[in-house]
Amino acid sequence: MYQSTRGAPAVSLDDALVLGIAPDGGLFLPETIPEFDPGDFAACDRINDVARTLLTPFFAGSSLATELDHIIAETFSFDIPVSRLPVETGYCGLLELYHGPTAAFKDVGAGFLAACLTRLEGNPDNPLTILVATSGDTGGAVAAAFNERPGMRVAVLYPDGRVSERQAHQLTCWGDNVLSLAVNGSFDDCQALVKGAMADEALSAKHRFSSANSINIGRLLPQAIYYAHASLLHWRETGRKPSFIVPTGNLGNAFACYLAREAGLPIGDIVLATNANRLVVDYLDGAEWAPRASIQTLASAMDVGNPSNMERLRSRGGEGDELQARVRAESVSDEQISAEIRRNFADFGLATCPHTATATFVWRQLDAQERRDKDWILVATAHAAKFEQIVEPIIGEPVPIPQELREILSRERRYVDIEPNMGALAAALADGFSN
Ligand SMILES: *Cc1c(COP(=O)(O)O)cnc(C)c1O
């Protein structure tokens, strides 16, 4: 069963997936975290095998339990390798989470959630409509994941002119069951429209709205799998637990790493790398937890002033000092991000996206002994080609575009412009999904 961080009665996994957020506004967490030993995964070679072993107890009693193999196969349809960086001392690996359809780690969570929700709620006679407001990366991953799934629709709302060219392409190239809405306003306007639509009973009844928010447990669980797989591979090869440095915004990816360690996977330290939005860093330094307005940075997918998954981390990891003993966090400025992109290219021949650069920066700032004595895996959350407008001027050459991204960029764009009001949204939904 899955319990709210705020105490509402526990619900089944199926309900937690469909509800997204608990009725009391809290976030769902498993009542008990299964306990594994690395030996339990001895027979697991592929990431799919690791996923099945790890997820089976999380799916106990779910109507999806018999579908788990198919759900996993649909989610891990691309590689998630760890490459070794040529550092002088110690071990430093790069967990490459950017080989999915939209070249960022959100493809994993979105793919898994789509595979689950389609099986639970997909109904061609009365489709479920996923509403998603996006500032860039999430919308593309959700659209890609739900595209062409029977009985499901997606309406993506994004702030027109405030996402990168390539992001805009990823938000608008789908057609079929995906409606892309270019909102004449800000991300906050998009979010307000989604909230307004969900709260509108007549509109909700007509379209069967649901969300694919990053706080959905269905986006969190699959992210724990790549930490499990990477740590087990390293453990088997070296007998040592790797420590992870995770670029962090809303804390979903980092909490998945924490969950994997709690479940007994061989993971050492967990270090969160934030951009200038440093609330988590200050909190772990002893400040009050007081949500802030977000600051715009080069690592825009991490521009979060009030990270929602902190509620999960505090619920499992405790408050203040107690939590400080379990995770660390460092903030990285835009100047440091730029310098780091340049240095990664000079030292490793590696083009890093601005988010990934926060992790490599934090690694470089560790003291020499810690860099040598522990084994480090840095989490690469997106491909540099997705943020070429930032990366290319810094490294002075074009970033080769991966095949998946090239495929998306070759598609035709289709979208509808709307003003930021409920009437315009309702009309666009009625027209866009009329056939
Ligand atoms: C969403 C995102 C992040 C932040 O991940 P959280 O789970 O929100 O902490 C980091 N990097 C990239 C490229 C992202 O798209």
Side-chain angles (χ1 to χ4, degrees):
M1 296 293 275
Y2 288 74
Q3 203 164 37
S4 165
T5 46
R6 301 188 188 171
V11 302
S12 68
L13 176 62
D14 298 7
D15 286 345
L17 288 167
V18 173
L19 286 169
I21 189 160
D24 59 354
L27 280 63
F28 288 115
L29 274 174
E31 276 185 319
T32 51
I33 307 292
E35 280 178 44
F36 291 95
D37 180 272
D40 297 334
F41 296 88
C44 303
D45 287 329
R46 299 176 319 142
I47 195 167
N48 297 42
D49 305 326
V50 172
R52 184 187 317 109
T53 301
L54 182 63
L55 290 181
T56 295
F58 288 97
F59 275 69
S62 163
S63 71
L64 296 172
T66 53
E67 288 289 304
L68 191 52
D69 280 344
H70 299 289
I71 294 169
I72 290 168
E74 286 171 25
T75 308
F76 294 100
S77 58
F78 48 89
D79 281 348
I80 305 189
V82 179
S83 53
R84 187 161 184 176
L85 294 179
V87 300
E88 273 161 24
T89 49
Y91 173 93
C92 188
L94 193 72
L95 177 60
E96 300 180 3
L97 300 182
Y98 49 68
H99 296 288
T102 70
F105 82 88
K106 291 190 175 72
D107 284 325
V108 175
F112 189 86
L113 182 62
C116 291
L117 280 185
T118 304
R119 287 172 168 82
L120 288 172
E121 290 285 324
N123 176 359
D125 297 327
N126 185 14
L128 191 74
T129 304
I130 305 290
L131 278 181
V132 53
T134 184
S135 57
D137 274 353
T138 301
V142 170
F146 283 90
N147 185 222
E148 295 183 349
R149 286 194 178 268
M152 306 295 285
R153 289 168 166 169
V154 180
V156 180
L157 289 79
Y158 69 96
D160 194 18
R162 301 192 199 191
V163 302
S164 80
E165 264 309 295
R166 286 187 183 165
Q167 281 177 326
H169 220 111
Q170 293 183 329
L171 293 169
T172 56
C173 70
W174 305 102
D176 181 46
N177 64 339
V178 177
L179 175 64
S180 306
L181 301 172
V183 177
N184 182 19
S186 65
F187 170 63
D188 290 338
D189 292 327
C190 297
Q191 217 163 19
L193 283 175
V194 166
K195 282 195 182 143
M198 297 266 201
D200 183 322
E201 278 179 32
L203 204 58
S204 294
K206 185 168 168 203
H207 292 287
R208 287 182 73 215
F209 288 136
S210 184
S211 70
N213 199 293
S214 73
I215 59 177
N216 194 303
I217 191 82
R219 286 182 56 179
L220 191 65
L221 293 177
Q223 292 175 175
I225 294 163
Y226 45 72
Y227 291 107
H229 183 239
S231 66
L232 286 164
L233 276 184
H234 194 79
W235 173 258
R236 262 188 240 155
E237 263 175 36
T238 65
R240 294 153 63 87
K241 295 181 180 184
S243 295
F244 286 88
I245 305 180
V246 190
T248 292
N250 212 18
L251 253 151
N253 203 4
F255 182 71
C257 185
Y258 190 85
L259 194 64
R261 189 175 69 182
E262 266 206 87
L265 275 302
I267 294 171
D269 293 3
I270 299 173
V271 185
L272 319 182
T274 75
N275 56 24
N277 292 279
R278 50 177 300 137
L279 175 60
V280 176
V281 180
D282 292 342
Y283 174 75
L284 290 173
D285 272 348
E288 286 288 298
W289 183 259
R292 302 172 183 170
S294 68
I295 302 167
Q296 270 193 9
T297 75
L298 292 175
S300 54
M302 292 156 47
D303 291 349
V304 181
N306 181 17
S308 8
N309 280 295
M310 191 65 178
E311 193 163 325
R312 284 193 169 114
L313 187 60
R314 289 166 77 181
S315 162
R316 296 297 315 175
E319 307 284 327
D321 290 352
E322 207 184 339
L323 188 58
Q324 202 183 18
R326 299 188 167 126
V327 294
R328 287 188 277 165
E330 301 289 341
S331 164
V332 184
S333 71
D334 271 3
E335 295 73 48
Q336 291 166 331
I337 288 173
S338 299
E340 191 62 17
I341 291 172
R342 189 173 303 114
R343 204 165 349 169
N344 286 335
F345 196 66
D347 290 1
F348 309 135
L350 181 75
T352 32
C353 91
H355 313 84
T356 305
T358 65
T360 66
F361 180 84
V362 169
W363 172 78
R364 271 183 227 270
Q365 296 305 113
L366 297 170
D367 70 51
Q369 188 184 350
E370 208 180 12
R371 268 205 314 269
R372 191 185 60 226
D373 292 351
K374 293 177 181 167
D375 293 359
W376 294 93
I377 296 181
L378 318 180
V379 178
T381 50
H383 195 284
K386 224 179 152 166
F387 300 93
E388 89 288 0
Q389 283 158 328
I390 296 169
V391 177
E392 290 180 353
I394 296 176
I395 65 172
E397 47 182 276
V399 179
I401 304 176
Q403 183 53 37
E404 298 74 19
L405 198 52
R406 195 186 303 276
E407 205 269 311
I408 281 180
L409 297 176
S410 70
R411 292 177 178 221
E412 201 179 319
R413 292 185 57 183
R414 259 185 287 170
Y415 57 95
V416 178
D417 291 303
I418 68 164
E419 289 303 313
N421 62 63
M422 285 298 296
L425 176 60
L429 289 169
D431 285 356
F433 290 136
S434 56
N435 38 18

